[in-house]
Amino acid sequence: MTESTKTLCPYCGVGCGLEVSPPAQPHKTTNSDNQNPIWRVRGDKSHPSSQGMVCVKGATIAESLDKNRLHYPMVRDSLDQEFRQVSWDEAFNIITQRIQTVCLTQGSAAICMYGSGQFQTEDYYTAQKLLKGCLGTNNFDANSRLCMSSAVAGYIQSFGSDGPPCCYEDLELTDCAFLIGTNAAECHPIVFNRLEKYHRKNRQVKMIVVDPRRTPTAEAADLHLAIRPGTDIDLLNGIAHLLMRWNLIDLGFIDDCTSNFSAYAEVIRHYSPEVVARQCGISIADLETAARYWGESGRVLSLWSMGVNQSTEGTAKVRTLINLHLMTGQIGKPGAGPFSLTGQPNAMGGREAGGLAHLLPGYRLVKNPQHRAEVEDFWQLKRGQISPHAGLTAWEMITGLETGIVGLLWIAATNPAVSMPDLERTKKALLRSPFTIYQDAYYPTETSAYAHVLLPAAQWSEKTGVMTNSERRVTLCSAFRQPPHQAKADWEIFAEVGRRLGFADKFAFNNSAEVYAEFVQLTRGRVCDLSGISHEQLRTEGATQWPHPQVGTGDQTNGSKRLYTDLRFPTSDGRAKFAAYYSQGLAEPPDPDYPFVLTTGRLYGHWHTQTRTGRIAKIRSMHPEPFMEIHPRDAAKLGITDNQMIEVRSRRGEAMFKAKVTQAIAPGTVFVPMHWGKLWADNAEANALTHPEACPDSLQPELKACAVQLTPVCLETTAKNSQLLSSQW
């Protein structure tokens, strides 16, 4: 090809448009590992979400395309053997025979698949049809369970449906941006760039950032609330208390558009400024300033991510934040509303396709009999084929390996041997798996060590499909190069297994456009109506927001920017619902034995477990090694100096990090990045420390906080570990 290709960045949920062009001089432009040319990547100025901007991850992604790829199917009988290369035919036969055996001996409920927001929507949908439809097991979960499931549960319980109601245009229309549990400057940089530019030009616009760390995001704020970890609900209820006391609420909206306000009002009565300031570790003056900014602004936009979602109170936090919007009428209008920042590039598309254990395509729920019947009829399955029970979540799959109820685990496009909580327990469970299929573009990864079958997957650039970003904007990601060697698109792999299991009529797809055309029909009439979107429409008209119904099939305007502009909600009575929660705090608070709270997070350059970014020289030079942030007061008490190695222990495991002594972290709290797995650093796995306790509604683990103890390491050991870390590459 000689022309550029429009596509989407496959990293975070911002969904930046990219243009990719062939190398200008292939014989000179090569990467360091081989002689394949590096494609040129730049921001797509015509893409409305990113407007031509791109961060370092998107700009350098082409450098990873040919490094350490998995080229051929490989199998082994046991984990202590070496892999042997096989044909696709042999690999498919092994997989289908094993699935059939497990179905006969344990039932289809023993089959599990753990997927990823790296999937395109076509991959997600085909997997749902195979597992939930044809095999009758809802045991499909994705790493969105670790990322966005609390946001999903919060939206559903408060509004009646999943779906962020806002759009990126609201970043440049708001009077007050309230960011909580998100370091958007590093984790969603292009979204933050839009907000910060607008904020700088309009000094009357206020920005509040809630975070125990003084992150680059907090540096840009008018007000930084460095609350203690686990006190989010205290803070939000405290703001609500003051809004109520000052009569800065919208009684008309509350009366006409909401329910359960009286129960909520009774709860917030107990959150006086004195109580909240003491609990959160902030001043009453700062609390009052935050409440005044919110209450006196005509348009308030809240933004949140993992710092809210990854909690045993994740759903409660999301709903308590939504409560503030409901009590002030801050939804359904430009510049206002609760806006979750999605972690994965197509976690939104996965939710649309039913890609969590409790979901079905079209924002349907497996426990709803009408929803099951609608999908069964569409897939031409007998009634009752889809199980009425929610499937196993990602963590329940791990515990299912421990108890033996999981007979086959299929992992695709994710790396749980780094990303799951209580990592040593996770690894021991993976060792007990009777049969694990691992489907990925790269090899090795930490998870490949636990596989019996390896399947080479085509990745971004090598397959055509659709992704949906945080503002509900759907973009076509067109292939612009061939997959290496024998790699196949994920949806093709799932479809072929379905055909070989006897469901050929259900998987008679010739290409991904046909898969997508079938899927969008299941969204007709739903909140996430995509029935008017197709590959061809996206190719000719560009990225499109939903709802976008097929012409003549719905009352909503095609490509609606915002949801709920009519102030009616998809609940039984059309009203949004207040939620009344008292703060419960951390699942594992600090104590004399483990006196510090460890919080984890992400860095600007790296992405998740470094499967891609760890192979890019520029990014490795930006973030050469893991570290631990600690406040000078805590460091002095323990005799810790800058750059000294620290042993960090929790009740589950231990890890080693180089100390970064900084006032950017609150006393009593330490921070480590989560990107480094076993392949990238020695004994620096953040999730060796975290626990699996989860939100009872979303079942999302509290990966953001656990109790730890710190021990400085002697200088000799420090030098040895520093040499080891620096020699990894």
Side-chain angles (χ1 to χ4, degrees), residues 419-487:
S419 59
M420 290 294 286
D422 200 350
L423 201 54
E424 291 309 309
R425 182 178 175 185
T426 294
K427 292 176 182 178
K428 289 177 182 177
L430 290 171
L431 286 172
R432 298 183 62 175
S433 174
F435 193 77
T436 296
I437 305 163
Y438 185 52
Q439 183 171 312
D440 206 301
Y442 292 95
Y443 179 80
T445 70
E446 287 83 356
T447 300
S448 63
Y450 301 91
H452 298 88
V453 175
L454 296 176
L455 301 180
Q459 63 158 322
W460 174 87
S461 78
E462 300 156 3
K463 60 180 182 178
T464 295
V466 158
M467 288 189 173
T468 306
N469 72 1
S470 292
E471 66 165 345
R472 296 173 283 102
R473 191 175 298 278
V474 183
T475 300
L476 181 67
C477 308
S478 296
F480 54 85
R481 49 176 256 150
Q482 291 297 314
H485 298 276
Q486 294 183 16

Side-chain angles (χ1 to χ4, degrees), residues 37-50:
I38 297 175
W39 297 76
R40 295 176 295 162
V41 179
R42 62 180 179 271
D44 177 5
K45 293 182 180 179
S46 68
H47 197 283
S49 293
S50 52

Side-chain angles (χ1 to χ4, degrees), residues 337-513:
F339 197 179
S340 55
L341 295 178
T342 315
Q344 294 262 353
N346 198 36
M348 282 289 295
R351 287 144 66 178
E352 297 156 13
L356 287 171
H358 62 295
L359 301 178
L360 289 171
Y363 280 2
R364 293 178 174 86
L365 303 174
V366 299
K367 292 186 177 181
N368 185 310
Q370 179 181 342
H371 290 179
R372 295 196 304 274
E374 289 169 355
V375 177
E376 287 164 348
D377 290 349
F378 184 83
W379 283 342
Q380 297 183 325
L381 301 169
K382 67 180 186 296
R383 289 291 178 89
Q385 175 67 18
I386 297 176
S387 170
H389 306 293
L392 299 180
T393 66
W395 181 251
E396 289 169 337
M397 293 177 191
I398 297 300
T399 59
L401 292 173
E402 294 175 334
T403 60
I405 65 171
V406 173
L408 183 149
L409 178 61
W410 193 336
I411 303 169
T414 188
N415 195 12
V418 180
S419 59
M420 290 294 286
D422 200 350
L423 201 54
E424 291 309 309
R425 182 178 175 185
T426 294
K427 292 176 182 178
K428 289 177 182 177
L430 290 171
L431 286 172
R432 298 183 62 175
S433 174
F435 193 77
T436 296
I437 305 163
Y438 185 52
Q439 183 171 312
D440 206 301
Y442 292 95
Y443 179 80
T445 70
E446 287 83 356
T447 300
S448 63
Y450 301 91
H452 298 88
V453 175
L454 296 176
L455 301 180
Q459 63 158 322
W460 174 87
S461 78
E462 300 156 3
K463 60 180 182 178
T464 295
V466 158
M467 288 189 173
T468 306
N469 72 1
S470 292
E471 66 165 345
R472 296 173 283 102
R473 191 175 298 278
V474 183
T475 300
L476 181 67
C477 308
S478 296
F480 54 85
R481 49 176 256 150
Q482 291 297 314
H485 298 276
Q486 294 183 16
K488 293 180 179 290
D490 296 281
W491 75 265
E492 293 179 304
I493 297 170
F494 301 145
E496 181 60 21
V497 170
R499 288 189 286 266
R500 291 180 181 234
L501 287 171
F503 307 107
D505 60 317
K506 310 299 182 190
F507 299 98
F509 303 118
N510 294 305
N511 52 55
S512 59

Side-chain angles (χ1 to χ4, degrees), residues 228-303:
R228 292 190 182 98
T231 62
D232 307 69
I233 290 177
D234 298 273
L235 173 69
L236 297 170
N237 281 347
I239 292 173
H241 177 102
L242 289 171
L243 294 174
M244 182 84 106
R245 179 189 292 184
W246 297 338
N247 197 30
L248 294 175
I249 63 176
D250 189 336
L251 287 173
F253 180 87
I254 292 169
D255 290 343
D256 295 341
C257 304
T258 73
S259 62
N260 202 40
F261 179 70
S262 59
Y264 174 59
E266 171 58 27
V267 167
I268 63 175
R269 182 174 65 85
H270 298 282
Y271 286 84
S272 67
E274 295 76 17
V275 169
V276 170
R278 183 172 61 252
Q279 286 292 104
C280 295
I282 60 175
S283 69
I284 292 176
D286 280 351
L287 175 64
E288 291 177 339
T289 299
R292 191 172 297 109
Y293 283 169
W294 187 298
E296 295 178 354
S297 297
R299 299 166 294 183
V300 181
L301 181 71
S302 65
L303 301 142

